[in-house]
Amino acid sequence: VESELRAKALADELKVGFVSLCPSFILGPERGPSDGSGFSVSMVLSWMRGEQKVRSLLISDVRDVAAAHLAAAKATPGQRFIVSTEVRPLPEEVAQVLREVVASAWGSEAAKAIRATSPPTDGPACMRTSAAMRILSGPGAQEVQCKERLGELQIHCRDALETVRDMASHL
């Protein structure tokens, strides 16, 4: 938010229009070969190698964020858009996608190393299931409302699991 405020102040000073785009965690395929040094790339690689447990994230696809930037150039100044899926996938859903990609690329033994973070272990049993997680705020529950607003830019965020699959397939 601080950088957004600074950008707005600079736009006011320069007397130019300002549209704010706020993406969630950006994932997606790289444009070329990856050296694995970027934060999101190194994180997904660590999941694929079984070095870290897969966790749940609210995801935006780099391709959707790029398209939103192009569309925002034509938008009415003074607007703010959240660029994201509205629901974070469950860690096990992401892990399963990664297992499929890793099994295909590196073999089934490598895929066995992929683990997801566990549901909460405290509280009543009914709150510790995947179904309960989908109802509660957190993984699987709608966290943001941005689909309608993104429609004003003619942007539709692709499914988070599709993004994970595409990214993992390129690494």
Side-chain angles (χ1 to χ4, degrees):
V1 176
E2 183 180 329
S3 60
E4 188 177 6
L5 293 172
R6 290 175 56 200
K8 172 71 169 100
L10 182 60
D12 290 344
E13 179 183 320
L14 297 173
K15 298 181 181 11
V16 296
F18 177 77
V19 174
S20 177
L21 296 178
C22 305
S24 57
F25 196 81
I26 301 172
L27 294 179
E30 299 224 323
R31 291 179 59 180
S34 175
D35 65 3
S37 64
F39 181 79
S40 62
V41 170
S42 62
M43 181 187 69
V44 172
L45 281 171
S46 73
W47 292 350
M48 293 171 72
R49 294 178 184 136
E51 297 166 351
Q52 290 184 27
K53 288 185 177 182
V54 177
R55 64 181 197 263
S56 182
L57 299 166
L58 199 55
I59 295 171
S60 57
D61 189 294
V62 66
R63 297 164 291 189
D64 299 330
V65 174
H69 275 85
L70 294 173
K74 300 174 187 171
T76 303
Q79 297 189 77
R80 184 173 199 254
F81 296 91
I82 296 173
V83 183
S84 180
T85 55
E86 294 184 329
V87 175
R88 69 176 65 206
L90 296 171
E92 184 54 39
E93 293 172 326
V94 176
Q96 185 55 40
V97 166
L98 293 175
R99 284 184 202 109
E100 292 166 8
V101 171
V102 167
S104 175
W106 302 345
S108 58
E109 282 303 309
K112 291 178 183 177
I114 299 172
R115 302 279 185 261
T117 55
S118 300
T121 57
D122 56 344
C126 64
M127 304 291 264
R128 297 191 306 259
T129 66
S130 293
M133 289 177 76
R134 290 194 182 284
I135 296 167
L136 303 171
S137 61
Q142 183 174 352
E143 293 184 48
V144 295
Q145 293 181 335
C146 54
K147 187 176 180 179
E148 187 175 316
R149 287 278 291 141
L150 286 174
E152 295 173 27
L153 295 177
Q154 297 182 344
I155 299 297
H156 172 77
C157 287
R158 66 196 79 218
D159 179 76
L161 296 177
E162 175 187 342
T163 298
V164 171
R165 182 181 309 281
D166 290 350
M167 182 176 187
S169 296
H170 283 87
L171 294 177

